Amino acid sequence: MDYQETGMVDTVPEKNKISKLRIFFVVFLSVILVAAIVFNILVDKSSDFTEKEHLARVTELAKKRYIKNGNYTDLQVYPIYSQDDKLQYFLIELEPVGYMIVYLHKNNIFSSMYARSTRSKMYWVRYAVEIGSYAYIKEENGREFVYEDARWVECDENDEPILYYSSPYKVANVLNEKLFLLTVEQKGRFGEIPAVKQNGKFFNLISMEPIDYKYKTDEILWPVFSTGIITERLHIFDL
């Protein structure tokens, strides 16, 4: 059937249809571009601030959260670097005892610039890797927590592991050195290693020994540390 037989006529030439479609896309893309430019100008980005400015901002936010509610008396904030030597975290050392690790979002368009840990009582223990062994902690609430492929290396008089509530950096007395938090995947298990550099090598502050660090290994080599940080953009954990 054609238009002449039915009396119907296509009143919009094909060229005009393509032209209108092009205009629509040009206008649409222009609106998106303008919105992106305005958003980019109005929203603070992590790259807009120096390390010193980040420290000041995190300190101010931390004091509002931890000092004003009366749980802590004072705090200090320190920068922590990734294995690539880039500013990636902040350590909040709380007084009289306690600490918090804060993650710096590089792209914070849809999130806060700083994400804090999900854990309120971040204890940790010194242990060594021992494949096939299990080490147990009984927490204050009675729950038992298991470390796989591990044995304790610091225990009290009751042969119980010593729980530290200050950060590994403070316990090791290295707060005046450059601090690192190394991400590692060992046999499919992810974790972080708090470290400093000594003689050109990373020094693991959990096991207190130098390591030949690499991001991914096919075996369990080193004790790790859980920050409790969720890096996804969940505002409930914003600093």
Side-chain angles (χ1 to χ4, degrees):
M1 181 183 296
D2 58 31
Y3 290 110
Q4 290 181 347
E5 292 177 351
T6 60
M8 295 189 299
V9 178
D10 185 358
T11 58
V12 182
E14 190 66 27
K15 288 185 178 180
N16 288 350
K17 289 181 179 179
I18 296 173
S19 178
K20 288 182 178 180
L21 192 60
R22 284 177 178 171
I23 292 172
F24 170 79
F25 278 114
V26 169
V27 172
F28 177 76
L29 291 175
S30 297
V31 170
I32 294 296
L33 180 61
V34 171
I37 292 172
V38 172
F39 202 75
N40 191 56
I41 293 172
L42 295 179
V43 175
D44 288 335
K45 302 179 292 300
S46 59
S47 58
D48 294 335
F49 301 95
T50 65
E51 180 180 305
K52 186 176 180 180
E53 289 171 332
H54 275 303
L55 287 170
R57 287 164 60 85
V58 172
T59 300
E60 182 181 0
L61 291 169
K63 284 185 175 179
K64 287 179 181 178
R65 178 174 289 277
Y66 299 112
I67 303 298
K68 287 190 175 181
N69 62 18
N71 289 340
Y72 300 95
T73 58
D74 201 3
L75 60 83
Q76 294 293 325
V77 179
Y78 304 87
I80 303 179
Y81 299 85
S82 68
Q83 57 266 25
D84 301 319
D85 206 22
K86 295 179 180 178
L87 180 64
Q88 187 65 80
Y89 306 91
F90 298 95
L91 167 65
I92 303 173
E93 202 67 54
L94 299 159
E95 298 294 342
V97 65
Y99 70 100
M100 185 63 62
I101 303 290
V102 173
Y103 178 83
L104 174 63
H105 277 133
K106 298 300 183 183
N107 181 359
N108 57 285
I109 292 177
F110 300 107
S111 70
S112 168
M113 198 174 296
Y114 312 108
R116 61 188 170 85
S117 168
T118 61
R119 298 167 60 188
S120 58
K121 288 189 175 182
M122 292 175 54
Y123 68 78
W124 60 277
V125 293
R126 293 202 191 284
Y127 73 96
V129 170
E130 187 170 293
I131 304 301
S133 295
Y134 295 87
Y136 299 87
I137 292 177
K138 185 164 285 188
E139 298 182 334
E140 294 175 358
N141 58 11
R143 186 183 68 171
E144 197 168 56
F145 191 84
V146 181
Y147 279 56
E148 186 178 354
D149 295 324
R151 63 175 174 82
W152 306 133
V153 296
E154 284 189 355
C155 295
D156 59 21
E157 62 276 9
N158 298 316
D159 205 29
E160 295 291 333
I162 297 173
L163 276 56
Y164 292 106
Y165 288 91
S166 292
S167 76
Y169 307 100
K170 183 175 181 179
V171 173
N173 195 28
V174 294
L175 289 175
N176 291 328
E177 299 184 34
K178 189 170 186 177
L179 311 180
F180 293 89
L181 192 60
L182 315 175
T183 302
V184 65
E185 180 187 350
Q186 302 182 95
K187 206 174 179 179
R189 302 182 199 171
F190 290 90
E192 291 84 32
I193 300 174
V196 292
K197 272 191 172 178
Q198 292 185 353
N199 300 319
K201 276 191 173 184
F202 286 115
F203 190 83
N204 187 330
L205 298 177
I206 299 297
S207 59
M208 298 301 287
E209 60 184 355
I211 62 172
D212 292 318
Y213 169 79
K214 52 185 174 180
Y215 170 75
K216 189 173 183 178
T217 72
D218 294 327
E219 53 185 329
I220 308 299
L221 297 175
W222 311 301
V224 295
F225 169 74
S226 176
T227 63
I229 289 176
I230 295 178
T231 58
E232 289 80 3
R233 296 177 173 88
L234 300 177
H235 289 275
I236 189 172
F237 302 123
D238 292 347
L239 181 61

